[in-house]
Structures are given as structure tokens and as C-alpha cells.
Amino acid sequence: FDVIIWGATGFTGRLVAEYYLKQYGLDSDLKWAMAGRSQTKLELIRTELGDNKIPLIVADSHDEASLTAMVKRAKVICTTVGPYAKYGNELVAACVENGTDYCDLAGETPWIRRMVDQHHQAAQVSGSRIVHCCGFDSIPSDIGTYFIQREAKERHGEYCYHVKMRLKSARGSMS
């Protein structure tokens, strides 16, 4: 598959699967599948989406053999299974080991740092691209931190040791 949507039975994973079905269908050049730990729940989501031809893959976040089997079938794993510090370690490792690209919605900065430290060199060797923070909570905080640090350096000659962020308000609504 070009993309496997890992966590397709959860709220966000289902939204991603709906988007893929509407955007690409199953007859396009992009080959994708839904994955999760429950065959029954995957089948229910597939039925609700209205296309019983969507390929399904069953794996478990803490079963390395099932994760390895899944990542070997994909060019990219798109995961929505969080919290990533609890459910993402083995998946990142399997992707790196097998040269499979990986993207997530993580905003868990300490975990992301740990994954970079643990897997950067091996990912370079295997050709695996690990892309964290493909979602809302990462972009505003990253940009805000960048601008604060740039301003601190300009005004005070050094960067801040800590930067804390609080989101007071935002526009938007529930998906």
C-alpha cells in the first residue's frame, strides 16, 4: 500500500479514512488501507463508510510482530493512535527498521525528542522518514516558540531557557 491509516477506528482516524475514500476512492493510483487492533471495529467503520472493498489490516501497538508485518506492507504509515508516548514507540521503531515512512499528529514534545534521539541515525540508514506533528497543536506552538526565541535573542542577547504556551482562544469548531 502507499498509505496505511493506523487507528482508523478512532475519531480522527475515521476522519482521515473518510477523506481518503472521498479524495482517492479505491480505484486511483494511490493504494491505501485502514488498520487497527480490532477486525470487528474495522469492518464496522468500513461498512459505515459504504465501501466494503476498503482493505483492512489488524495489528496491535504493543505486538512488534504484527506491527512489523503491517509496516512491511506500506510505503507510509499515517497514525492517529495516541497518546503516542504510550502507543507509538514500537510503531516508530518498526517503521525505522523496515524503511517505512511515518507521520503522526503528536504534540507530545518530550516523546518526540526521545524518538528523534533514539531513531535518527537508524532512519537515515534505512531511508525511513519520520514526520511528527502533522496537526493543529504542533504548528501554533512551534511558530510561537520560534518568534519568542527570536525576539528574546534580539532584545536580551540570549534565548529563553523555558517557553510556556497557553491557548486563550481560537476560532473554529468541532469536526
Side-chain angles (χ1 to χ4, degrees):
F1 297 100
D2 296 304
V3 179
I4 293 176
I5 302 163
W6 174 239
T9 61
F11 178 78
T12 304
R14 180 191 171 117
L15 290 175
V16 173
E18 285 176 8
Y19 174 83
Y20 267 65
L21 185 59
K22 287 177 187 171
Q23 186 70 26
Y24 306 107
L26 294 172
D27 297 324
S28 72
D29 290 337
L30 182 79
K31 302 302 178 207
W32 62 279
M34 297 188 314
R37 65 181 175 202
S38 168
Q39 180 76 28
T40 303
K41 289 180 181 179
L42 285 166
E43 289 172 358
L44 178 62
I45 296 296
R46 181 170 66 180
T47 299
E48 290 173 358
L49 292 177
D51 195 325
N52 287 326
K53 296 178 191 169
I54 299 170
L56 305 178
I57 299 165
V58 176
D60 185 277
S61 295
H62 300 300
D63 179 347
E64 291 180 31
S66 69
L67 291 175
T68 297
M70 176 178 69
V71 303
K72 284 183 172 184
R73 297 181 68 186
K75 293 178 184 174
V76 177
I77 299 292
C78 173
T79 178
T80 62
V81 178
Y84 296 92
K86 183 174 182 178
Y87 297 112
N89 297 327
E90 291 92 341
L91 179 60
V92 172
C95 285
V96 168
E97 183 176 318
N98 291 284
T100 304
D101 294 337
Y102 166 102
C103 65
D104 66 31
L105 304 169
E108 302 165 35
T109 308
W111 176 77
I112 293 166
R113 175 80 263 161
R114 201 166 51 253
M115 293 299 97
V116 170
D117 292 344
Q118 288 177 9
H119 299 291
H120 178 72
Q121 290 179 350
Q124 285 184 312
V125 170
S126 75
S128 176
R129 291 172 287 193
I130 307 301
V131 182
H132 299 289
C133 305
C134 297
F136 165 77
D137 60 342
S138 58
I139 295 169
S141 60
D142 287 352
I143 291 172
T145 300
Y146 168 76
F147 285 117
I148 287 170
Q149 292 290 46
R150 188 176 74 181
E151 190 68 20
K153 182 74 170 174
E154 186 177 308
R155 286 186 187 189
H156 307 289
E158 61 185 6
Y159 295 112
C160 299
Y161 183 71
H162 291 287
V163 175
K164 294 181 182 180
M165 179 188 154
R166 177 175 68 109
L167 180 62
K168 185 175 179 180
S169 66
R171 286 186 293 186
S173 63
M174 297 293 288
S175 36

